[in-house]
Amino acid sequence: MLHAAGASGAIAGAGSMRVLSLIPPMTQLNTPYPSTAYLTGFLRSRGVDAVQADLALGLVLRLFSGPGLDDIKGRIEAMPARKRSPLLQGFLEHFAHYRRTVEPAIAFLQGRDTSLAHRIASRGLLPEGPRFDVLDVYVDPDGGDPLAWAFGALGVQDKARHMATLYLNDLADILREAVDPRFEFVRYAESLAMAQPSFEPLARALAEPPTLVDDYLSQLTHAALAEHAPQVVLLSVPFPGSVYGAFRIAQCIKAHNPAIVTVLGGGFANTELRELSEPRVFDYFDFVTLDDGERPLLALLEHLAGQRGASRLVRTYRREPDTGQVRYINLVEPDVPFAEVGTPTWDGLPLDRYLAVLDMLNPMHRLWSDGHWNKLTVAHGCYWKKCSFCDVGLDYIGRYDGASSSLLADRIETIIAETGHTGFHFVDEAAPPKALRGLSEEILRRNLTLSWWGNIRFEKSFTPELCQLMADSGCIAVSGGLEVASDRLLKLMKKGVSVEQVARVTRSFSDAGILVHAYLMYGFPTQTVQDTVDALEYVRQLFAAGCIQSGFFHRFVCTVHSPVGQNPDEYGIQLRPLPPVSFAKNDVGFIDPTGVDHDTLGVALNKALYNYMHGIGLDEDVRYWFTGKVPRTRVGRHFVEKALG
């Protein structure tokens, strides 16, 4: 039997109940998504027999293997010939070539056979489908290697990984056409869950005959159950693109052994399932928990062990057995302090089997998908928590809680000893400058050698001296929200920064040798075409001045948990009515009186940004990127240069 211990004590008798945490498809190919590592480390610190497995990675490796391609080929051959697209017909014609090269290409991306780099980079080994057409946009006027600008004479390994990634994307396109039209490496079937008020679309998909992808996922689920023999299975769904896979896994578990307790949690649940009332969800999951999982899981394990009644669960949904109605139960108990959540563990995850893919050639942008990064958090929540577009009222942002530099460095050393990897991605909403200063000093004091990067706010606390200190401790890159490069809109967003300040801070990072990625946004309430043109001019100047090296334009989405969604009148918009919600609720449409066609503008913004990240078009008038007539920018040609002094 289990019973509760104190805030930092163990749970007695935990050996009688094994908890398996699963990563469902799809999340990341290059490194484990950290949620299971956090939960497994925490539960073990409390004496719970906790294990973990990554079914997302397992699924990709099963699909993109020799036998996997055999099965895909069989599905295509079963199709009427008239329904086969040129892509599928080409796959059949060159199947032997694909079959011969798929496992070597995967081994190369895993770093297990780097000697293949020269053959892959020469473009003589792998079959080339439509994804390779992107290479045609790079032309060397002197007739040399068109990719030399990106990889140079010695970048054979990187060039080969880019080729192998294009090859893998070609195979994914084939799989999508032949087997499962919803398949994506990240956004897998996300339309079934993202801001989906009704469970019906997901229910219909789950009732359909299984695809080859579903069959493989079922096999992997059965293998994990056989290996670990859990009594409780936790499925963490960080994104809408991992929801369908999680429900398929739970469906398989319930068919195999209904006595196994299944629990759903993670970022998607925390954000979108806060008004859950759909009973059918609980045909798959016995419980759904919200916000940080540590306290709800402790309460749930006590409940399952008979030590706590159902009415004393914490932030947990269940279906009442007598009425069949969904009930949210939340006995208010303090969350586990950030300093006491334990150290994440990657034990049980096959770190040597992840794929170091290289989609983007930009040196900063590639960090998200390239190589293994130990994920760690400097502090819980956001110390700023004022941005009007952000879900600042939710726990993962609104509850700020830190830990000492010494404790963070202890965690870093423990993780390095376990994984053998010295690269860290700090996954904070925005890591506090004070905490980063203390951690940088502690890393240097301990003579640790590591590389790290993470998300920050471009605030004035990041002085040239602090940026250099961070670089000395191993910081290689930072990402932060510039959002809309307009002081009027930044003030409306409550970002607490100005364009001039962002220019100076980003330049301080760049001068210290730290790469800078800017999160950018378009379509914010009251944003005009003039605002958009001006914002792009600011961004152009920041790239030209070497302040930022990478960026990404996101379309603004109004969410029900943000200040904009809560107080639309303050932002000059009118919210569109939402349908009745029994499942997911997050995005909400709105009427902006400006009437701007942001979708068309967004195409121009992303085209410009893609070129800027490759050093192209920085001398062009920003109006060049837009179709149709747009106004001349009001931004002075040397605005950023003057701001930098």
Side-chain angles (χ1 to χ4, degrees):
M1 300 293 284
L2 302 177
H3 65 273
S8 59
I11 300 177
S16 63
M17 185 175 296
R18 170 165 284 195
V19 178
L20 170 62
S21 295
L22 294 178
I23 301 174
M26 300 296 292
T27 50
Q28 291 179 265
L29 296 179
N30 64 308
T31 198
Y33 193 79
S35 56
T36 65
Y38 276 71
L39 290 174
T40 302
F42 169 72
L43 291 173
R44 288 184 182 182
S45 74
R46 301 304 177 96
V48 176
D49 182 11
V51 292
Q52 60 187 324
D54 189 344
L55 299 195
L57 176 67
L59 178 62
V60 168
L61 296 182
R62 180 72 64 87
L63 287 167
F64 300 108
S65 66
L69 294 197
D70 290 338
D71 286 340
I72 295 172
K73 176 174 178 280
R75 298 301 194 277
I76 298 173
E77 290 175 333
M79 299 168 58
R82 67 180 184 278
K83 292 188 176 181
R84 297 174 193 162
S85 69
L87 177 66
L88 299 186
Q89 193 59 45
F91 175 71
L92 291 180
E93 292 172 4
H94 300 281
F95 177 75
H97 197 177
Y98 280 104
R99 180 66 161 78
R100 184 176 69 252
T101 53
V102 64
E103 291 181 9
I106 291 292
F108 172 74
L109 288 172
Q110 291 172 325
R112 295 189 293 112
D113 191 358
T114 57
S115 63
L116 281 177
H118 290 273
R119 293 195 63 196
I120 295 174
S122 71
R123 301 181 66 177
L125 177 65
L126 302 178
E128 297 188 2
R131 289 285 187 153
F132 283 78
D133 292 347
V134 69
L135 301 181
D136 294 337
V137 305
Y138 307 119
V139 178
D140 183 357
D142 299 322
D145 181 359
L147 294 179
W149 66 271
F151 301 113
L154 300 177
V156 174
Q157 291 287 334
D158 279 353
K159 183 177 178 181
R161 279 197 292 127
H162 184 52
M163 301 297 174
T165 301
L166 295 175
Y167 167 83
L168 197 62
N169 287 332
D170 267 332
L171 288 174
D173 292 341
I174 292 164
L175 174 67
R176 191 176 305 111
E177 282 199 28
V179 174
D180 187 345
R182 296 181 294 251
F183 182 82
E184 297 279 354
F185 281 129
V186 176
R187 303 177 187 277
Y188 180 33
E190 70 173 6
S191 64
L192 297 175
M194 184 171 60
Q196 184 61 256
S198 170
F199 185 67
E200 188 60 32
L202 186 54
R204 286 198 301 266
L206 293 168
E208 292 174 358
T211 66
L212 175 65
V213 179
D214 297 328
D215 286 339
Y216 279 4
L217 187 57
S218 176
Q219 294 168 20
L220 291 165
T221 302
H222 281 105
L225 296 178
E227 178 181 357
H228 298 293
Q231 285 75 50
V232 180
V233 175
L234 311 178
L235 282 148
S236 178
V237 286
F239 319 115
S242 55
V243 173
Y244 173 77
F247 272 82
R248 274 294 188 185
I249 292 169
Q251 183 182 52
C252 177
I253 293 172
K254 288 305 181 186
H256 172 76
N257 182 359
I260 296 176
V261 175
T262 51
V263 187
L264 179 69
F268 170 81
N270 301 342
T271 303
E272 303 208 22
L273 299 186
R274 305 195 78 87
E275 297 181 21
L276 178 64
S277 61
E278 173 57 71
R280 288 178 293 175
V281 169
F282 298 87
D283 293 338
Y284 306 87
F285 292 98
D286 297 287
F287 302 94
V288 178
T289 67
L290 298 185
D291 301 326
D292 280 7
E294 289 86 0
R295 182 58 68 191
L297 285 177
L298 291 182
L300 179 57
L301 292 177
E302 293 176 36
H303 168 63
L304 296 175
Q307 298 294 320
R308 177 188 287 243
S311 63
R312 300 184 66 241
L313 292 172
V314 177
R315 296 197 302 272
T316 300
Y317 288 102
R318 72 190 291 253
R319 183 168 59 188
E320 292 295 307
D322 51 345
T323 66
Q325 299 298 305
V326 177
R327 180 187 174 196
Y328 180 62
I329 307 165
N330 184 18
L331 177 68
V332 178
E333 292 185 358
D335 274 291
V336 177
F338 180 67
E340 298 176 9
V341 296
T343 301
T345 178
W346 280 262
D347 179 45
L349 299 178
L351 299 184
D352 61 339
R353 302 186 71 203
Y354 288 85
L355 309 177
V357 296
L358 186 49
D359 282 304
M360 286 286 290
L361 307 185
N362 178 276
M364 170 71 205
H365 212 86
R366 62 188 284 185
L367 292 179
W368 276 272
S369 61
D370 182 12
H372 174 88
W373 298 100
N374 299 313
K375 307 281 189 174
L376 193 63
T377 308
V378 174
H380 181 283
C382 178
Y383 67 97
W384 179 250
K385 55 187 176 188
K386 294 180 183 179
C387 298
S388 57
F389 57 83
C390 193
D391 294 340
V392 295
L394 297 184
D395 178 79
Y396 79 100
I397 292 175
R399 181 170 59 85
Y400 178 71
D401 186 14
S404 70
S405 300
S406 178
L407 179 58
L408 291 172
D410 288 344
R411 290 175 178 172
I412 287 172
E413 290 194 279
T414 299
I415 292 169
I416 292 174
E418 178 186 271
T419 67
H421 291 277
T422 60
F424 284 80
H425 178 196
F426 296 143
V427 292
D428 300 70
E429 295 302 312
K434 184 177 180 180
L436 290 179
R437 176 181 291 277
L439 179 58
S440 297
E441 291 171 344
E442 185 68 14
I443 289 170
L444 292 169
R445 188 185 69 79
R446 298 190 186 196
N447 291 318
L448 299 178
T449 300
L450 62 144
S451 303
W452 61 269
W453 60 291
N455 202 42
I456 54 115
R457 291 184 64 249
F458 294 130
E459 62 167 75
K460 60 184 179 182
S461 299
F462 288 105
T463 61
E465 179 267 335
L466 176 54
C467 293
Q468 187 59 55
L469 175 68
M470 291 166 58
D472 292 342
S473 74
C475 180
I476 59 171
V478 295
S479 56
L482 171 56
E483 315 309 351
V484 178
S486 157
D487 285 339
R488 178 184 75 83
L489 291 174
L490 287 172
K491 185 176 181 180
L492 189 61
M493 288 178 172
K494 299 182 174 64
K495 282 293 297 183
V497 299
S498 67
V499 177
E500 285 191 0
Q501 179 178 309
V502 169
R504 288 190 288 269
V505 170
T506 53
R507 184 58 177 269
S508 293
F509 279 115
S510 295
D511 286 347
I514 296 172
L515 296 171
V516 180
H517 174 89
Y519 292 111
L520 302 160
M521 184 183 295
Y522 65 99
F524 193 75
T526 73
Q527 183 175 357
T528 65
V529 174
Q530 182 72 65
D531 289 328
T532 302
V533 173
D534 291 347
L536 185 58
E537 173 61 17
Y538 283 125
V539 171
R540 184 197 68 79
Q541 292 188 28
L542 288 169
F543 271 99
C547 295
I548 60 177
Q549 290 74 45
S550 173
F552 187 79
F553 269 109
H554 302 257
R555 173 67 187 269
F556 168 76
V557 175
C558 182
T559 65
V560 295
H561 308 295
S562 68
V564 175
Q566 295 287 319
N567 305 289
D569 291 345
E570 294 182 17
Y571 301 90
I573 62 171
Q574 179 182 347
L575 300 184
R576 298 185 185 276
L578 285 171
V581 174
S582 60
F583 186 51
K585 181 180 180 182
N586 189 45
D587 303 355
V588 55
F590 63 94
I591 300 170
D592 188 335
T594 59
V596 174
D597 182 1
H598 293 295
D599 289 336
T600 299
L601 295 177
V603 173
L605 293 174
N606 283 299
K607 184 178 181 180
L609 197 63
Y610 182 85
N611 281 275
Y612 292 167
M613 286 194 292
H614 295 94
I616 300 170
L618 289 170
D619 294 328
E620 294 279 1
D621 186 308
V622 293
R623 290 176 293 177
Y624 167 81
W625 306 105
F626 296 90
T627 57
K629 188 175 181 179
V630 295
R632 181 188 301 271
T633 180
R634 299 170 301 188
V635 179
R637 188 75 177 173
H638 303 289
F639 176 89
V640 168
E641 181 182 335
K642 292 177 180 177
L644 296 175

